[in-house]
């Protein structure tokens, strides 16, 4: 029988501990890493029944309660058209969005048409941007001296459970033809996204595009950016009801949640896996929630809508 002295025992125990730790570290490295992100998306609210906002808020609360990592975004056309356009100029809708704690919204083409006069239209637009308690995005429409619009960002970075999510915003090329845009530079949204994406990627782990450029432009972005790691394109403008993401193998999923007469709330659940140091989209599931009258009105948002609409009744009675 072999006997060990104390020095040998200590050395033996230390070796065993080191071997154990090495095995654990090696095992940890081999374990796949996953990240789940849920994105709630809306678009083209203009001309809706205002109380649809309170019904959407009820669903948003439910989704936030059941999912861990949630983004809430809007792809534009918040106002212009409808009975309250020239009364509130989007202020009622923005008050509701603030209370629902949106994470970002993209300027739609109708945001530039608040009034036929370009000066007044800009006043209405920038007033709405100032009211937003979350980032207003638009990288493809700039001032005449090629600066981003006042108070507007080309993209934003959201930190959610350890990861940075880059949200890049583009709008419609249609704005170029508006008389309200004589003092603006309107770029091709696909080219704007291509140009800005490296800057966004340098600051984020996952990138999505919030687009009011229309489905045709979104498909072009898919074709041009699919090999550059973009995870999702959230579309708007066409009012298409896309119940399942448009997706081609190796491409970028494209979603859109109706709009105007087609009242929906969109949801996309994304699953990422870390591969070679990058977060890669491996699964996506989308769905639309129809906004119907059997959905209860969220009390806080209902109160906001009540307050604004009651002011119109007082004006009518005066």
């Amino acid at each position: 029988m072999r006997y060990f002295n104390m020095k040998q025992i200590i050395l033996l125990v230390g070796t065993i501990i080191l071997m154990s730790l090495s095995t654990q570290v090696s095992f940890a490295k081999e374990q796949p890493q996953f990240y789940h992100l849920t994105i709630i998306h809306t678009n083209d609210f203009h001309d809706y029944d205002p109380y649809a906002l309170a019904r959407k808020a009820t669903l948003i609360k439910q989704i936030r309660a059941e999912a861990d990592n949630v983004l809430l975004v809007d792809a534009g056309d918040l106002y212009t058209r409808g009975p309250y356009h020239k009364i509130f100029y989007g202020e009622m809708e923005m008050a509701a969005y603030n209370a629902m704690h949106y994470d970002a919204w993209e300027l739609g083409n109708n945001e530039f048409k608040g009034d036929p006069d370009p000066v007044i239209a800009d006043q209405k637009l920038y007033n709405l941007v100032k009211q937003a308690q979350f980032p207003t995005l638009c990288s493809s429409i700039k001032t005449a001296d090629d600066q981003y619009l006042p108070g507007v960002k080309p993209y934003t970075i959201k930190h959610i459970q350890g990861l940075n999510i880059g949200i890049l915003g583009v709008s419609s090329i249609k704005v170029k033809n508006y008389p309200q845009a004589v003092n603006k530079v309107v770029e091709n949204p696909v080219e704007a996204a291509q140009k800005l994406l490296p800057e966004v990627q340098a600051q984020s782990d996952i990138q999505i595009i919030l687009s009011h450029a229309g489905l045709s432009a979104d498909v072009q972005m898919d074709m041009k950016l699919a090999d550059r790691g973009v995870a999702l394109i959230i579309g708007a403008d066409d009012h298409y009801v896309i119940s399942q993401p448009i997706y081609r193998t190796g491409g970028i999923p494209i979603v859109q949640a109706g709009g105007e007469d087609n009242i929906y709330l969109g949801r996309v659940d994304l699953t990422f896996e870390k591969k070679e140091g990058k977060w890669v989209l491996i699964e996506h599931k989308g769905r639309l929630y129809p906004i119907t009258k059997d959905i209860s009105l969220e009390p806080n948002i209902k109160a906001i809508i009540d307050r604004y609409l009651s002011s119109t009744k007082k004006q009518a009675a005066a």
Side-chain angles (χ1 to χ4, degrees), residues 45-48 79-87 93 260:
F45 185 77
H46 55 173
D47 206 17
Y48 272 15
Y79 79 111
T80 304
R81 294 205 294 271
Y84 305 107
H85 159 212
K86 293 186 178 180
I87 300 174
E93 293 88 343
E260 202 153 348

Side-chain angles (χ1 to χ4, degrees), residues 77 79-80 106-118 121-122 125-126 138 141-142 149 152 171-172 175 178-181 184 186:
D77 272 11
Y79 79 111
T80 304
E106 163 61 34
L107 292 178
N109 61 294
N110 279 294
E111 266 70 72
F112 295 89
K113 297 196 297 183
D115 191 271
D117 185 315
D122 276 356
L125 169 63
Y126 298 138
C138 187
I141 301 176
K142 301 178 180 178
L149 301 175
V152 177
S171 195
S172 174
V175 177
Y178 296 168
Q180 296 93 333
K184 297 176 180 65
V186 181

Side-chain angles (χ1 to χ4, degrees), residues 144-163:
D145 57 352
D146 204 35
Q147 301 297 311
Y148 293 116
L149 301 175
V152 177
K153 299 180 177 182
Y155 61 87
T156 188
I157 308 295
K158 296 293 296 185
H159 188 75
I160 302 178
Q161 291 296 321
L163 291 190

Side-chain angles (χ1 to χ4, degrees), residues 44-115:
D44 296 277
F45 185 77
H46 55 173
D47 206 17
Y48 272 15
D49 167 16
Y51 287 103
L53 289 167
R55 302 186 197 281
K56 286 185 178 184
T58 295
L59 295 176
I60 290 167
K61 272 191 171 182
Q62 293 174 1
I63 296 170
R64 280 173 166 158
E66 67 187 37
D68 291 328
N69 308 321
V70 179
L71 269 177
L72 174 60
V73 297
D74 185 87
D77 272 11
L78 188 59
Y79 79 111
T80 304
R81 294 205 294 271
Y84 305 107
H85 159 212
K86 293 186 178 180
I87 300 174
F88 303 122
Y89 292 95
E91 291 184 15
M92 173 175 63
E93 293 88 343
M94 186 57 73
Y97 274 35
N98 284 334
M100 285 189 270
H101 305 294
Y102 269 72
D103 292 294
W105 78 301
E106 163 61 34
L107 292 178
N109 61 294
N110 279 294
E111 266 70 72
F112 295 89
K113 297 196 297 183
D115 191 271

Side-chain angles (χ1 to χ4, degrees), residues 186-249:
V186 181
E187 298 179 355
N188 180 297
V190 180
E191 294 174 1
Q194 283 181 292
K195 182 170 58 178
L196 201 56
L197 184 59
E199 183 178 329
V200 180
Q201 288 178 318
Q203 302 174 57
S204 58
D205 303 289
I206 293 167
Q207 299 83 40
I208 66 173
I209 295 176
L210 194 55
S211 166
H212 198 90
L215 184 58
S216 175
D218 294 344
V219 170
Q220 291 179 50
M221 281 189 281
D222 168 29
M223 301 297 289
K224 292 181 180 294
L225 301 176
D227 62 346
R228 295 175 64 180
V230 175
L232 182 69
I233 298 171
I234 299 171
D237 188 49
D238 311 285
H239 307 168
Y240 287 137
V241 179
I242 302 177
S243 55
Q244 289 295 324
I246 296 172
Y247 179 71
R248 62 182 180 86
T249 302

